[in-house]
Amino acid sequence: MKKISKIALVELQSFFYSPVAWLVLIVFTVQSAMVFADILERLARDQELKMSLSNLSLTICRGMFSKVQEYLYFYIPLMTMGLMSRELSSGSIKLLYSSPVTNARIILGKYLSMLLYGLIMLSVLFIFVAWSSCIVKNFDWPAALSGLLGLYLLLCAYAAIGLFMSSLTSYQVVAAIGTLAALAALSLVQRFGQEYDLIREITWWLSISGRADESIGGLLCSEDILYFIIVSALFLSLSIARLKAIRQKSRWTISLAKYATLFIAAMLLGYVTSRPRLMAFHDATREKQRTLTPVSQEIIRQVEGGLTMTVYVNALDRGLSSVIPRARKADMERFAQFIRFKPETRVKYVYYYTNPGNQGVERRYPGLTDLQAVGKIAKAWDVDSTLFMPPSEIDKLIDLSAEDYRVVRLLERETGQKTFLRMFDDMTRYPSEAEISAALRRLVMKAPVVAFLEGHGERDILDAGDRGYFRFSCNKPSRASLVNQGFDCVTVNLRQELPDSVSILVIADPRQPLTPDERARLDNYIARGGNLVILGEPRRQQIMNPLIEPFGATFLPGQLAHRATGEEVNVPPANVSSLSPGRAAPARPRATVPQDFIRPVMKPEGASLSRLHESIHAVGRGSGARVLMPGCAALERVEDKGFRVITLLESDARGWNELETTNFIEDTARVNPAIGETPRAYPVALALSRQVGDREQKIMITGDADCFSNERLGGLNSNFIMATFLWMSDGEMPVDVRRPATIDNALFATGADVKMTRRVLAIIFPSILLLSCLVLWIRRRGR
């Protein structure tokens, strides 16, 4: 070890006696300081603009480290190009051969010098991190140190590669170019052979591109750490073998065989260490941001035994590109957090083609048969068309017609339980933790059944029109639909008793009254403690009031209205030039919100029902956003029926219950105190509960059914819908994937402070380094 240290010390001295090491260090410092200052400047500006800040530790460190990772490989070849090339070109290698120093000690000594120089480079970043800890409230040191460790391991791997390339030639420039070429090859290797299973695993593991990303993000993974160790050891071993071949003048075939043996051994180690069962993780972030939430972890623990995820890929579906054979590894990376806790998960891909019947294929490939269209698609994606099985074969395996033959995943336990996990028609497309956890929960528990009453003109869950309830209930390509958040949606009638499987019954805007027999069956459901959602509408009071009378509430006659509002905006018309001088342009007609368009507020007591109700209340209080109800009947409590009653939503106190106007488009409603119209706040949504046996019965009544409709879906209406069913399902669905709020949410620096920071770190600090270089050079020149 002493000889290795001496070689490293001599090499390190030669580094700093030359201008290259100083130049690299100064340029690295300036470049990193500029990146660091840019991030601080943006955050300081956001804080001065009163924008909310959060997770500042990772925001600063990840932003800086990611940039450093992008250009780090430019510096290493400059430092490693002369490690062995200089010895070979000057002939000093013969002195080393004649000394009692082994090849391994020579290589390890040279490598140790690079490790020490790498520590000096990263000490610059450590200074920036320490500076951040002084100006960030509750700085997260472990997450920052995780990023520094990842960068250092990356630098170590770069140094080993550069050392090997330097041992291949006596020309330093050639060694530098060869190092850049080797790093480029290792970055691009993951693009090759992805169509073949075994090659895919090897080339994906071998790629160095983005290897430090997880560490920079605060997650230490044994696969990445061992990757850097194995790659460094591989190239150090190749360097030692190279020196031995030069020393012994071995034949090139023998050297090549040794290199191949070392490479194969490294690949085998890499394959083994990348197996999910053998991987270990440590989330260094304070709030465990890189780990599944506790609820999701508990769900996975309940999925005992084997689990298989089969991906069914239709060549004629637009989602093909993300799951073609060469995209499989990237596809599976999106499920890495779950596989981390369920490493025995088996993943299979089944490729087929079937025309989904939505005319999209005919528009893209007019005049072609399905098989011909598949041939063109396969050619475009460079995929073998024989990979896709025909419709007759896939139909024997599984019926995917209910999924419209889209790309879908089937999760199946070895005990037989199975469920689908879908892709969605939004920007993200892939299921998030919430949807994956909801699908897994279906495998271990019975999904809550939401039954929608039909037979009396109620809103239809298969109706995709404006008034229908399709989008929030059973729209499978929609992430926010109930079926993708862990619920089952069905339709029922009251011609027979409701089955015990019904968890929640929804009665939405019936247009005909129930018969006595139907009413008796509904009463039986209520008496046994069934949960119920009743959505009324104005001018339906005669039908709706008998339904809510058992709960001590009633819909008031008329409907809610507010004063006509709007703002005149002077906009010159197209022919403004023809107006007489001094004549003002006519005002644009007043744009008004319809008077029957109600924007109720969430009451504080309603916010206590669930986390989503609380979120609606917080958003409304902060930004003024509201649930929207276009046409709403007012509710009133008339007597106590043994229920605990909470007012969920309440109208604005300036509105009133309009009893005369019915056409709010052509007529203007005005308060008429003579007939009892008085401006005040009216309840528009009530939440009722009581204890029935060993369970709590929950009932919600609203004066508007359109707030659940396809037309009004979005904004807080979507939140309100999901909050309703979260409360009704006793908080089980949707799955709670909330994370603790980060506490590093304030910056103790202003814009002026950041400017000073930029001057100190990007100008003064590098100037000190430059001065040190000049002093050392002058003293050495004097000697």
Side-chain angles (χ1 to χ4, degrees):
M1 188 63 191
K2 289 183 179 180
K3 293 181 179 180
I4 294 175
S5 301
K6 287 182 179 180
I7 294 174
L9 183 60
V10 171
E11 194 67 36
L12 202 59
Q13 286 176 342
S14 67
F15 280 166
F16 285 101
Y17 285 152
S18 72
V20 176
W22 290 100
L23 179 63
V24 168
L25 191 59
I26 291 171
V27 173
F28 177 78
T29 301
V30 172
Q31 195 169 15
S32 301
M34 296 298 290
V35 171
F36 178 63
D38 287 342
I39 296 172
L40 290 185
E41 185 177 2
R42 175 174 57 83
L43 294 175
R45 181 174 59 249
D46 290 346
Q47 182 167 268
E48 290 175 358
L49 293 173
K50 305 301 181 183
M51 299 175 66
S52 62
L53 300 179
S54 64
N55 201 22
L56 291 180
S57 304
L58 267 184
T59 300
I60 294 172
C61 293
R62 181 185 286 181
M64 177 172 60
F65 295 161
S66 296
K67 282 292 183 182
V68 170
Q69 181 184 207
E70 291 178 7
Y71 55 73
L72 185 62
Y73 71 93
F74 284 116
Y75 299 111
I76 302 305
L78 297 176
M79 298 308 304
T80 61
M81 64 182 182
L83 287 176
M84 293 305 304
S85 298
R86 185 172 58 249
E87 309 286 357
L88 295 172
S89 62
S90 65
S92 58
I93 189 68
K94 296 178 180 179
L95 294 176
L96 289 174
Y97 285 161
S98 62
S99 63
V101 181
T102 62
N103 297 326
R105 286 175 178 173
I106 295 173
I107 293 299
L108 292 178
K110 300 279 188 179
Y111 185 62
L112 180 58
S113 67
M114 279 304 304
L115 298 188
L116 295 175
Y117 185 79
L119 283 177
I120 295 173
M121 291 182 68
L122 288 192
S123 66
V124 174
L125 298 181
F126 183 81
I127 292 173
F128 298 163
V129 171
W131 193 297
S132 300
S133 70
C134 297
I135 62 175
V136 172
K137 178 183 178 182
N138 300 314
F139 187 77
D140 190 357
W141 267 105
L145 294 177
S146 168
L148 284 172
L149 175 61
L151 281 181
Y152 184 66
L153 291 174
L154 179 64
L155 188 148
C156 294
Y158 284 173
I161 296 168
L163 177 57
F164 172 64
M165 300 307 297
S166 180
S167 70
L168 294 178
T169 178
S170 59
Y171 298 98
Q172 295 187 32
V173 175
V174 175
I177 295 174
T179 302
L180 287 174
L183 295 178
L186 286 176
S187 297
L188 299 175
V189 69
Q190 66 179 6
R191 300 185 181 183
F192 298 97
Q194 293 297 302
E195 298 85 0
Y196 312 103
D197 292 341
L198 181 59
I199 299 177
R200 178 190 304 119
E201 296 294 333
I202 294 174
T203 57
W204 187 268
W205 176 86
L206 186 59
S207 174
I208 203 170
S209 177
R211 270 294 174 179
D213 286 349
E214 295 291 357
S215 298
I216 290 173
L219 180 66
L220 295 175
C221 174
S222 64
E223 179 191 10
D224 294 330
I225 294 174
L226 290 174
Y227 169 85
F228 291 124
I229 294 174
I230 292 171
V231 168
S232 299
L234 168 63
F235 282 95
L236 290 177
S237 300
L238 292 174
S239 301
I240 296 171
R242 170 61 179 168
L243 281 193
K244 187 175 181 180
I246 296 175
R247 200 169 194 172
Q248 298 178 350
K249 294 181 170 44
S250 303
R251 296 174 58 185
W252 68 270
T253 53
I254 296 176
S255 299
L256 185 61
K258 290 180 179 179
Y259 296 159
T261 301
L262 290 172
F263 181 80
I264 293 172
M267 295 305 100
L268 289 176
L269 281 174
Y271 181 82
V272 171
T273 57
S274 64
R275 297 307 86 197
R277 290 175 181 267
L278 300 178
M279 291 167 62
F281 300 86
H282 173 67
D283 190 344
T285 61
R286 180 169 42 224
E287 293 82 13
K288 304 304 175 188
Q289 302 171 39
R290 305 302 309 280
T291 305
L292 292 178
T293 57
V295 174
S296 296
Q297 292 182 42
E298 179 58 31
I299 292 173
I300 292 181
R301 277 193 288 269
Q302 295 175 12
V303 184
E304 299 176 349
L307 177 67
T308 301
M309 180 167 69
T310 305
V311 188
Y312 290 97
V313 183
N314 186 0
L316 299 178
D317 181 61
R318 291 186 180 273
L320 171 67
S321 60
S322 59
V323 283
I324 57 177
R326 65 171 176 267
R328 285 188 190 178
K329 294 297 291 186
D331 178 61
M332 288 311 304
E333 286 290 316
R334 296 178 172 91
F335 300 89
Q337 282 194 341
F338 285 86
I339 294 178
R340 166 181 163 187
F341 289 94
K342 191 72 175 174
E344 64 271 24
T345 302
R346 296 176 59 241
V347 182
K348 299 189 299 183
Y349 288 80
V350 176
Y351 295 90
Y352 70 98
Y353 72 90
T354 292
N355 193 328
N358 56 14
Q359 298 183 347
V361 177
E362 287 78 3
R363 285 195 300 268
R364 285 185 289 161
Y365 305 102
L368 297 183
T369 65
D370 292 345
L371 184 58
Q372 291 171 331
V374 168
K376 284 188 170 293
I377 293 171
K379 183 178 180 181
W381 288 110
D382 193 21
V383 177
D384 185 0
S385 61
T386 60
L387 178 68
F388 302 97
M389 63 177 64
S392 58
E393 292 186 25
I394 189 64
D395 288 341
K396 294 177 182 177
L397 290 178
I398 186 172
D399 181 11
L400 296 173
S401 58
E403 298 297 322
D404 294 328
Y405 296 102
R406 295 166 58 94
V407 173
V408 68
R409 302 169 199 273
L410 179 67
L411 303 179
E412 185 173 8
R413 295 180 65 185
E414 62 182 12
T415 53
Q417 295 95 334
K418 60 181 67 175
T419 189
F420 283 113
L421 180 62
R422 304 176 180 89
M423 305 279 274
F424 304 114
D425 290 341
D426 54 26
M427 294 296 292
T428 307
R429 298 198 70 245
Y430 272 84
S432 67
E433 179 181 342
E435 290 79 51
I436 299 173
S437 296
L440 290 172
R441 179 169 274 182
R442 285 177 173 271
L443 299 177
V444 297
M445 63 167 281
K446 180 178 176 294
V449 177
V450 182
F452 292 80
L453 187 65
E454 63 179 1
H456 312 88
E458 295 91 347
R459 303 294 177 98
D460 188 356
I461 61 173
L462 298 181
D463 181 5
D466 289 347
R467 297 182 70 256
Y469 278 10
F470 172 71
R471 287 181 58 193
F472 88 83
S473 60
C474 54
N475 183 19
K476 293 177 180 178
S478 172
R479 185 184 305 274
S481 66
L482 293 179
V483 294
N484 290 318
Q485 294 298 327
F487 296 90
D488 284 336
C489 293
V490 299
T491 57
V492 295
N493 57 60
L494 290 172
R495 289 192 289 271
Q496 59 274 333
E497 293 289 343
L498 293 174
D500 294 336
S501 60
V502 173
S503 308
I504 305 164
L505 178 65
V506 179
I507 304 178
D509 188 19
R511 299 191 171 195
Q512 301 170 9
L514 304 184
T515 65
D517 289 342
E518 291 174 331
R519 182 54 192 267
R521 296 183 185 106
L522 176 61
D523 291 341
N524 291 339
Y525 172 79
I526 297 172
R528 72 181 192 226
N531 294 335
L532 182 63
V533 177
I534 299 178
L535 303 162
E537 273 286 303
R539 298 184 293 278
R540 302 273 199 279
Q541 287 89 339
Q542 187 175 359
I543 297 173
M544 299 300 303
N545 277 334
L547 295 177
I548 67 173
E549 180 191 9
F551 313 119
T554 186
F555 288 105
L556 296 179
Q559 72 179 90
L560 293 175
H562 60 80
R563 296 184 185 278
T565 60
E567 180 180 1
E568 293 185 356
V569 181
N570 288 327
V571 179
N575 60 344
V576 66
S577 59
S578 64
L579 294 176
S580 302
R583 182 181 175 187
R588 178 185 294 175
R590 181 185 296 266
T592 62
V593 176
Q595 288 186 271
D596 61 342
F597 203 93
I598 307 302
R599 300 174 67 247
V601 64
M602 174 71 68
K603 299 292 290 180
E605 57 268 27
S608 65
L609 292 184
S610 75
R611 63 179 189 273
L612 292 182
H613 287 96
E614 181 182 359
S615 173
I616 294 172
H617 177 65
V619 170
R621 187 174 52 188
S623 66
R626 306 281 181 84
V627 175
L628 304 180
M629 291 186 167
C632 183
L635 283 161
E636 187 175 63
R637 296 172 57 187
V638 292
E639 62 178 308
D640 186 358
K641 295 286 188 175
F643 289 90
R644 173 176 172 261
V645 183
I646 290 178
T647 299
L648 267 181
L649 299 175
E650 191 174 71
S651 67
D652 192 290
R654 293 170 295 180
W656 70 92
N657 189 35
E658 176 63 36
L659 299 174
E660 295 177 315
T661 306
T662 57
N663 187 345
F664 290 88
I665 297 177
E666 298 179 357
D667 299 333
T668 300
R670 293 179 175 83
V671 181
N672 185 358
I675 60 173
E677 295 179 355
T678 305
R680 68 177 178 88
Y682 288 87
V684 296
L686 299 176
L688 302 88
S689 61
R690 67 176 180 180
Q691 200 67 26
V692 179
D694 59 350
R695 61 170 298 178
E696 183 183 19
Q697 183 179 35
K698 299 174 180 178
I699 296 167
M700 191 191 78
I701 306 171
T702 73
D704 177 48
D706 287 329
C707 65
F708 278 35
S709 67
N710 299 328
E711 182 183 18
R712 295 301 169 190
L713 199 62
L716 288 189
N717 282 43
S718 296
N719 292 16
F720 182 58
I721 293 171
M722 209 54 69
T724 298
F725 293 101
L726 173 67
W727 178 57
M728 291 278 175
S729 65
D730 299 325
E732 290 183 352
M733 298 292 183
V735 176
D736 185 6
V737 293
R738 293 175 300 166
R739 299 180 183 275
T742 56
I743 59 176
D744 49 346
N745 54 9
L747 196 67
F748 303 134
T750 63
D753 297 330
V754 173
K755 290 180 180 178
M756 179 58 68
T757 298
R758 185 187 294 273
R759 295 191 190 101
V760 171
L761 298 181
I763 299 176
I764 298 176
F765 186 31
S767 299
I768 294 173
L769 293 176
L770 179 60
L771 183 62
S772 302
C773 174
L774 291 175
V775 169
L776 185 63
W777 179 75
I778 292 171
R779 289 184 62 187
R780 182 170 175 79
R781 183 178 177 84
R783 291 177 182 177

